[in-house]
Amino acid sequence: MSSNLSPIDTAKFVAAKRAVDFVEDRMRVGLGTGSTAAWMVRALGERVREEGLSIIGVPTSTRTAELAAQVGIRVVSLDEARWLDLTIDGADEFDDDLNLIKGGGGALLQEKIVATASDTMVVITDPSKHVEHLGAFPLPVEVVPFGWQTTKALIEESLDAMDVLGRSGTLRMNGEAPFVTDEGNHIVDLHLQRIEDARKLGLVLNQIPGVVENGLFIDICDKVVIGHQDGRVEVIDINEGTHHESRIEFAETDNIFKDI
């Protein structure tokens, strides 16, 4: 195991290495956003360079597009690709049914569009993201800037009828200014603690004027790849009903971030 990596980075590394095994030549691949997804983009770039893998990548954010281009992945827009074979992304939480909360990195809108335009969605994560009920991680809701305070109030009012423990929301900030997504919107993070009916909540939130999209990914994820600090990797396939475990071995000097 590489001494250059912290335990959590080792978990992300092995999950990323295993997940890119699902990518085949000539695939159109959605590329997720976030710290774990960045490991995956690096691992995929390594395959492109060393194996001559020919793929097209569709990034879910500007920063992912920049990283993908840097490591040699051909990048196109979703409009150019039209439909994808596979999307690989991270998650902030996942439950036993592989429903997710995503959006901690602020790219939930593009991530959801890309994931739903794919035949298969693979999520890479670590064991700490597995929960019995979604909601401990704040649920991001992307809202248009116009009237965002009114939208936030409507969101909080709608939570009174939902089976959740918390009902407050905060505007995500970037220093002293509101955080702005790639689409020019803001994000309201909902501190719900526990969501009993995630499907119902997602539908209700998206009916509120001013809400663009929410970070609940319901019935979208097909596989979860869970990396562990000791190099073990679990793959859970919700469609096949399978759960496999393997181990990723890599040399002491291996580090797909070594050229950054």
Side-chain angles (χ1 to χ4, degrees):
M1 202 57 63
S2 174
S3 60
N4 296 325
L5 301 180
S6 68
I8 188 61
D9 281 342
T10 297
K12 293 178 180 181
F13 186 7
V14 297
K17 294 282 274 189
R18 177 64 182 90
V20 299
D21 287 344
F22 293 112
V23 179
E24 300 176 3
D25 201 47
R26 300 188 182 280
M27 272 190 170
R28 294 159 294 180
V29 183
L31 307 175
T33 294
S35 61
T36 306
W39 287 96
M40 174 274 299
V41 174
R42 280 276 163 184
L44 196 52
E46 187 176 60
R47 287 195 62 194
V48 168
R49 294 191 305 273
E50 296 185 0
E51 302 174 23
L53 186 71
S54 177
I55 61 169
I56 293 173
V58 174
T60 55
S61 68
T62 301
R63 57 188 182 277
T64 294
E66 293 171 349
L67 177 59
Q70 179 185 341
V71 300
I73 298 173
R74 180 189 169 197
V75 172
V76 302
S77 69
L78 181 58
D79 286 337
E80 293 174 277
R82 298 180 65 83
W83 193 259
L84 307 179
D85 300 289
L86 174 69
T87 285
I88 307 177
D89 205 346
D92 300 304
E93 283 186 345
F94 71 96
D95 66 15
D96 289 340
D97 296 320
L98 305 195
N99 293 318
L100 319 170
I101 285 182
K102 289 180 50 55
L108 67 97
L109 177 58
Q110 292 190 21
E111 288 173 337
K112 188 174 281 190
I113 293 172
V114 168
T116 54
S118 306
D119 288 333
T120 302
M121 182 189 190
V122 175
V123 162
I124 47 179
T125 186
D126 65 80
S128 69
K129 307 296 177 61
H130 183 207
V131 296
E132 183 177 353
H133 292 276
L134 299 176
F137 190 91
L139 174 64
V141 180
E142 187 158 341
V143 302
V144 297
F146 176 80
W148 72 264
Q149 293 186 13
T150 299
T151 302
K152 176 176 173 292
L154 289 170
I155 291 171
E156 291 174 336
E157 182 180 334
S158 74
L159 295 176
D160 289 339
M162 297 291 103
D163 192 355
V164 294
L165 292 183
R167 291 174 172 80
S168 65
T170 56
L171 182 70
R172 188 178 299 185
M173 303 296 291
N174 182 15
E176 297 297 317
F179 177 86
V180 178
T181 71
D182 279 356
E183 300 301 316
N185 298 314
H186 295 333
I187 289 181
V188 173
D189 289 308
L190 303 182
H191 307 281
L192 307 176
Q193 302 176 46
R194 174 186 170 118
I195 302 169
E196 190 62 35
D197 190 338
R199 186 186 309 277
K200 180 179 178 181
L201 177 60
L203 292 172
V204 168
L205 289 173
N206 280 6
Q207 294 299 312
I208 297 172
V211 169
V212 180
E213 189 52 85
N214 69 82
L216 289 167
F217 283 52
I218 309 299
D219 297 334
I220 296 176
C221 176
D222 298 285
K223 297 180 176 70
V224 166
V225 180
I226 307 168
H228 293 264
Q229 299 174 1
D230 61 359
R232 288 181 300 116
V233 181
E234 299 175 77
V235 179
I236 301 172
D237 188 317
I238 195 70
N239 299 315
E240 299 294 332
T242 56
H243 186 159
H244 297 296
E245 184 173 313
S246 59
R247 183 177 295 274
I248 301 293
E249 302 289 350
F250 54 96
E252 191 71 18
T253 55
D254 278 356
N255 188 340
I256 52 179
F257 279 84
K258 61 182 177 292
D259 56 337
I260 290 182

